[in-house]
Amino acid sequence: MPLRDHLRELRRRLTFIALGLTVGAVVGWFVYDPVFALLQRPILDLAEAREQTVALNFQGVATSFDMRIKVSLFLGVILSSPWWIYQLWAFITPGLTRRERTYAVAFLGAAVPLFLGGAALAWWVLPNAVALLTEFTPDEATNLIDAQLYLSFVMRVILAFGVAFLLPVVMVALNLAGLVRARTWAVGWRWAVLTAFVFAAIATPTPDVVTMLSVAFPVCILYFLALGVCVLHDRRVDRALVAQGLPRLDGTLADEDAATA
């Protein structure tokens, strides 16, 4: 596909994503109140447990309105995740065969649960992070937390975890599109594991190792599962090429393997 067509397709997909996010944000606007109550629940539980005044503070006149817009957009990303994940997949893998598209649809069906699972894991980690960041408040002091900063922190953590759990989808998509071989992912597994642990250490601002490992291990497991899918795909493609007398995707031939053996 020529570069101009790629750019045109990218613009088309981005337009679809924007429309989906807009619809999700409109829905988020109407469910703002219960969602906001849920987002501030860790603060209220912490205040009750410590018997201290810990509350969100809306400093500016328009802060509450601004936060409603931000939370609505955040909910738009969550609610429209099946739509924008599909659009990204469709852009990355436009030239798949019919059989590969079947596998792609099946694996894409796992992308949404992975994204939501990452968001759920972030929500599980969040109370510990809030407790750690506020535990140095003196007993007789009042902790008024800036609502903008708190909710922005919560939304960034949830989205970061969700996107991190989409890693296997991206790996398999690039492999099915013929852009990255499984061997490339396999060679870089050490860097992938290191990156997973660094991400877990940064995304979980708590001192306990258990929380960090509970984040890093799922990311590593998903990486190796995706690597296994890529290996199986490459083997199937190589067998089909050899059966036609063509070189494999890595440039080797079956005769060369026989001679080496």
Side-chain angles (χ1 to χ4, degrees):
M1 183 182 295
L3 178 60
R4 180 178 298 179
D5 292 339
H6 275 292
L7 295 177
R8 188 177 295 118
E9 178 68 12
L10 176 61
R11 183 180 62 182
R12 177 169 168 267
R13 296 297 175 182
L14 290 177
T15 301
F16 287 159
I17 290 175
L19 292 175
L21 292 176
T22 301
V23 174
V26 170
V27 176
W29 178 272
F30 290 102
V31 298
Y32 168 79
D33 291 333
V35 172
F36 178 78
L38 187 63
L39 291 175
Q40 71 171 342
R41 176 52 54 188
I43 296 291
L44 300 179
D45 292 342
L46 187 63
E48 182 179 355
R50 294 181 180 175
E51 297 183 352
Q52 289 181 319
T53 302
V54 184
L56 296 182
N57 181 33
F58 290 84
Q59 295 182 354
V61 176
T63 302
S64 57
F65 178 74
D66 184 45
M67 285 311 305
R68 182 158 191 154
I69 294 177
K70 288 184 177 180
V71 173
S72 298
L73 292 174
F74 166 73
L75 292 175
V77 175
I78 300 295
L79 295 175
S80 65
S81 57
W83 176 252
W84 58 259
I85 289 174
Y86 168 76
Q87 296 300 328
L88 292 176
W89 183 280
F91 175 74
I92 295 175
T93 59
L96 298 180
T97 64
R98 190 174 204 180
R99 184 175 182 181
E100 288 171 340
R101 284 185 182 275
T102 303
Y103 294 144
V105 170
F107 196 79
L108 182 60
V112 175
L114 285 174
F115 177 79
L116 297 179
L121 182 60
W123 183 253
W124 175 73
V125 170
L126 184 64
N128 292 333
V130 173
L132 172 67
L133 297 175
T134 59
E135 70 177 356
F136 300 102
T137 305
D139 294 336
E140 302 301 326
T142 298
N143 194 339
L144 297 179
I145 303 173
D146 184 86
Q148 293 255 24
L149 296 178
Y150 170 74
L151 292 177
S152 296
F153 167 75
V154 171
M155 291 184 289
R156 281 199 305 268
V157 170
I158 291 176
L159 291 179
F161 273 65
V163 172
F165 273 54
L166 287 178
L167 173 65
V169 178
V170 176
M171 291 174 59
V172 174
L174 294 175
N175 179 258
L176 291 177
L179 300 176
V180 182
R181 293 273 291 176
R183 181 178 300 177
T184 303
W185 298 126
V187 170
W189 73 268
R190 294 179 180 85
W191 288 104
V193 172
L194 176 62
T195 302
F197 276 88
V198 171
F199 168 79
I202 295 175
T204 56
T206 56
D208 61 294
V209 179
V210 175
T211 302
M212 185 187 73
L213 294 180
S214 65
V215 176
F217 279 157
V219 175
C220 293
I221 292 173
L222 291 173
Y223 179 88
F224 287 108
L225 287 176
L227 176 60
V229 174
C230 294
V231 169
L232 294 176
H233 172 258
D234 285 353
R235 288 180 178 176
R236 185 182 63 80
V237 172
D238 287 341
R239 284 197 299 267
L241 292 174
V242 170
Q244 300 174 22
L246 300 173
R248 296 187 178 94
L249 292 179
D250 57 6
T252 62
L253 296 169
D255 294 340
E256 295 177 4
D257 293 343
T260 303

